[in-house]
Amino acid sequence: MSRRGKMERAWILLLGQIFMGAWSLSREEKGPNFVLMMVDDLGIGDLGCYGNATLRTPNIDRLAQEGVKLTQHIAAAPLCTPSRAAFLTGRYAVRSGMAGYGKLGVFIMTAASGGLPEQEVTFAELAKQQGYATSLIGKWHLGLNCERSDDFCHHPNRHGFDHFYGITMTNMRDCQPGHGSILYMISSHIPTRSIGVAIGTVAVLHVLGVISVTRKMLLCFSLVPAVFLALFAVVVFTYPYLNCFLMRNQEIVEQPFLSENLTQRMTHEAIQFLQRNSERPFLLFFSFVQVHTALFASAAFRGRSRHGLYGDTVEEVDWSVGKLMETLDSLGLRENTLLYLTSDHGAHLEEISSNGEVHGGWNGIYKAGKSTNWEGGIRVPGILRWSGVLPGNKSIDEPTSNMDIFPTVAKLIGAGTPEDREIDGRDLMPLLLGEVERSEHEFLFHYCNAYLNAVRWRPANSDSTWKAFFFTQNFSPENSTACLHTHVCFCTEEYVTYHDPPLLFDLSRDPSETTPLTEREVPDFHAVLDVMRRAASRHARSVAPVPNQLSLGNQLWKPWLQPCCSTLSQLCTCSRDDPPEGGD
Ligand SMILES: *[C@@H]1O[C@H](CO)[C@@H](O)[C@H](O)[C@H]1NC(C)=O
Ligand SMILES: *[C@@H]1O[C@H](CO)[C@@H](O)[C@H](O)[C@H]1NC(C)=O
C-alpha cells in the first residue's frame, strides 16, 4: 500500500472512531434499555438461584449468576393490583387510591370503573418522554374504563406504554370453565350463619304458634335464593367471555383468550418488539400471565417438571426468559440493556386444585404467602443484570423494594422524579454498584390493603432488621399458615387479631418469623417499638387522602363499561389474533 493510501486509511479509521464514539456516547447519555420482567404469584423458593433443587430454571439462574441477586427484595403489597400500582409509580398504593378498605383488594371484573388514576406518573411515561419505545406485554390489572366501554381511561396506552399486548385484568381460575374461584369469593360474602339463625328463629316461632308462616310466604322466601342461584350461574358461565380477553393496544383480539399457548405468543410478541426497536432506546415491561391460576403450559412443557402443572408453568416462564436473553444477545444489546426479574408478591398457598394438586408456589423458608405480610407474602425474587456495568455473581441482603425500579429507571434515563409528590422507592444503583453498603430504606411499611399492617426497620448502627406487626391475619385452619376457608387472607377487622404491644421479630436472626420476641430477650424492647411506632405515624401523616379506586362502587360490574368484541348474543366471542408484521 502506498504512503498516501495508508494515510487515507488511517484518516478514515480515525473518523470512524470519532463517529462511533459520538454515537455510543449519545446512546449512553440516553441510558440503557430496560427489560423488566414480573412473574405473577411466583414464590421465592421456586427458583434454582434461590435454593430450589428440583424445579429447573436454568435461564433465570444464569441471569442471577451474571448479575446481582437481591435476597431481601420486598413487594410493596402482597396482592397483585396494589403491588403493581406501587411498582409502576414508585409509591405505596394507598397514595394512588389503589389499596382497598374492604375485603377485596384487587379488581375481579373488567367492567369496573376503578383504576390507576391519570395523574399518577409511571416509569413508562418518563421513558416515553425521553424518547424510549415502551411496551407492556402481559398482565396489567390496573383498570380499563371510567365512563364508557371504550374510553380506556386506565389503559396501559394512557400510562406511558406505546404498545400493549396482553390482558387488562388478571388470569383467573374462572377463565377456564369449571375452575371458579369467583365461587369462593362470592360465597365468602354470604352471611350463612345469620341466614341460618333467621330461618331457625322463624321456624321455632312458627312451631310455637307465635307467628304463622303461610305457604305463600314460604314460596316468596324461597324465591330469593332461587333468583340468587340463577344470577350466580349466569356470572359463572359468562365470566370468561366478559373478563378474560386479550388486547393488542385498544383492540380486543381474542375473547375469551386461549391460554394454552399464551406464554409462547407473548414471548413471540416481545421478541418482535425487541427486533423492531433495536436501533433506539426501549423499555419493555414483560408481565407474565403465569404462574397465577388457572395454570396452563403449552404442549412442549406439559408433564415435564417434577412439580406437576405448577412446575411445568414455571419451567415455561424460564424458557421465555431465556428467549428474551437470547434475542438481546443476537441483537448485540447485551451490554446496554438492564434486565430485571421479580414476582408481584409471594406464592399463593391456598391454590389447591379441585383434585388436591398443589397449584401454588413455594416460599422457601419464609412464613405464609400471598395476601399476608409475613415474609412469604412479600419477599420476592429480585435479579438485576446489566453486563459490563453491574457486578456479576453478587448477592445483596439489604432491604430493597419493587418501588425502587421507578427512581432507578428515572435516574438512568436522566428524567428526574416528579417533585410534587412522595416517591417511596430509592435509586438502587449505588447499592448494586457497591458504592454504598447500606440500603437507603431505613423503614419499609407493609400494607394489608389500605391498612398499615407492619413496619420493617433496618437501623443504621446495628445488624438487626426489626419487623413489628400491629395486627396479624387469622389463619384457617388455625394451625396452618394460610386462609384456606376464604382462599386469601382478608385485612378487615373480623379476620385479624390486633397486637398491643405489636409482635416483634428480628429478621436477621429469625427470618422465618417463628417466635415473637419479648422484653426478656430484647433489653430495649419498648424503645425499639417506640421508634417504629413513630416512623409509622410520620409515614401515615405523609399519605394524602385520595379517591378510593377499589371502593365497592368502583369494583362493581357496570354493564355500560363492558368491552365486547362481537355482540352479546354471540357471547362476545372473537378470535383474530394475527400479529402484525413490523410497525407498532
Ligand atoms: C399450540 O401450539 C402447538 C404447537 O406449536 C399447536 O399444535 C397447538 O395447536 C397450539 N394450540 C393452540 C390452542 O393454539
Ligand atoms: C421447589 O419448588 C417446588 C414447586 O413450588 C416445591 O414443591 C419444592 O418444595 C421446592 N423445593 C425446594 C428444595 O425448595
Side-chain angles (χ1 to χ4, degrees), residues 254 258-262 264-265 298-300 302:
E254 201 171 86
L258 298 174
S259 45
E260 187 187 337
N261 289 0
L262 192 53
Q264 309 270 329
R265 285 189 280 161
S298 56
R302 236 173 295 133

Side-chain angles (χ1 to χ4, degrees), residues 425-584:
R426 297 286 177 265
D427 181 11
L428 277 175
M429 287 305 280
L431 192 64
L432 299 176
L433 290 170
E435 290 167 5
V436 297
E437 293 276 298
R438 288 273 173 157
S439 157
E440 260 196 71
H441 290 289
E442 188 181 356
F443 297 98
L444 277 172
F445 303 96
H446 305 303
Y447 276 92
C448 193
N449 291 352
Y451 305 104
L452 187 57
N453 189 174
V455 179
R456 174 185 305 249
W457 180 31
R458 173 90 169 108
N461 56 357
S462 104
D463 286 330
S464 295
T465 299
W466 303 108
K467 188 171 169 193
F469 282 87
F470 301 117
F471 64 87
T472 49
Q473 293 149 308
N474 303 331
F475 294 131
S476 59
E478 251 172 67
N479 59 359
S480 73
T481 57
C483 300
L484 285 164
H485 298 339
T486 44
H487 197 58
V488 289
C489 297
F490 293 126
C491 311
T492 43
E493 247 172 84
E494 13 4 329
Y495 297 92
V496 308
T497 303
Y498 293 93
H499 303 286
D500 191 15
L503 290 191
L504 183 67
F505 298 90
D506 180 356
L507 298 176
S508 70
R509 270 170 246 163
D510 181 13
S512 304
E513 298 164 292
T514 51
T515 342
L517 295 164
T518 61
E519 286 170 73
R520 258 188 320 172
E521 291 130 340
V522 186
D524 42 3
F525 183 82
H526 290 288
V528 167
L529 285 177
D530 242 30
V531 172
M532 295 172 87
R533 272 206 203 92
R534 264 181 289 143
S537 49
R538 240 186 351 259
H539 165 73
R541 279 197 303 274
S542 79
V543 178
V546 287
N548 177 5
Q549 299 296 325
L550 287 153
S551 65
L552 194 60
N554 278 332
Q555 283 266 10
L556 270 184
W557 180 64
K558 296 182 177 159
W560 58 94
L561 297 186
Q562 182 61 56
C564 177
C565 70
S566 55
T567 61
L568 216 52
S569 63
Q570 290 170 295
L571 273 171
C572 296
T573 356
C574 69
S575 173
R576 42 171 178 261
D577 181 24
D578 312 308
E581 293 301 320
D584 268 353

Side-chain angles (χ1 to χ4, degrees), residues 102-166:
K103 273 199 265 184
L104 214 53
V106 302
F107 296 111
I108 60 164
M109 303 265 168
T110 46
S113 53
L116 192 63
E118 202 193 330
Q119 62 273 21
E120 289 299 320
V121 177
T122 68
F123 53 66
E125 251 167 288
L126 297 181
K128 187 176 151 83
Q129 281 161 14
Q130 297 294 102
Y132 276 65
T134 54
S135 169
L136 166 62
I137 294 177
K139 164 170 163 168
W140 174 241
H141 212 182
L142 297 172
L144 181 56
N145 291 311
C146 293
E147 286 168 359
R148 294 191 324 267
S149 65
D150 60 352
D151 62 39
F152 302 120
C153 67
H154 301 302
H155 188 281
N157 286 164
R158 291 291 182 86
H159 282 291
F161 294 100
D162 294 330
H163 168 254
F164 170 60
Y165 175 72

Side-chain angles (χ1 to χ4, degrees), residues 45-47 50-55 307 310-311 314 358 360-364:
D46 286 328
L47 300 176
Y50 284 93
N52 200 305
T54 45
L55 241 175
H307 296 285
Y310 181 81
V314 175
V358 176
W362 181 253
N363 293 320

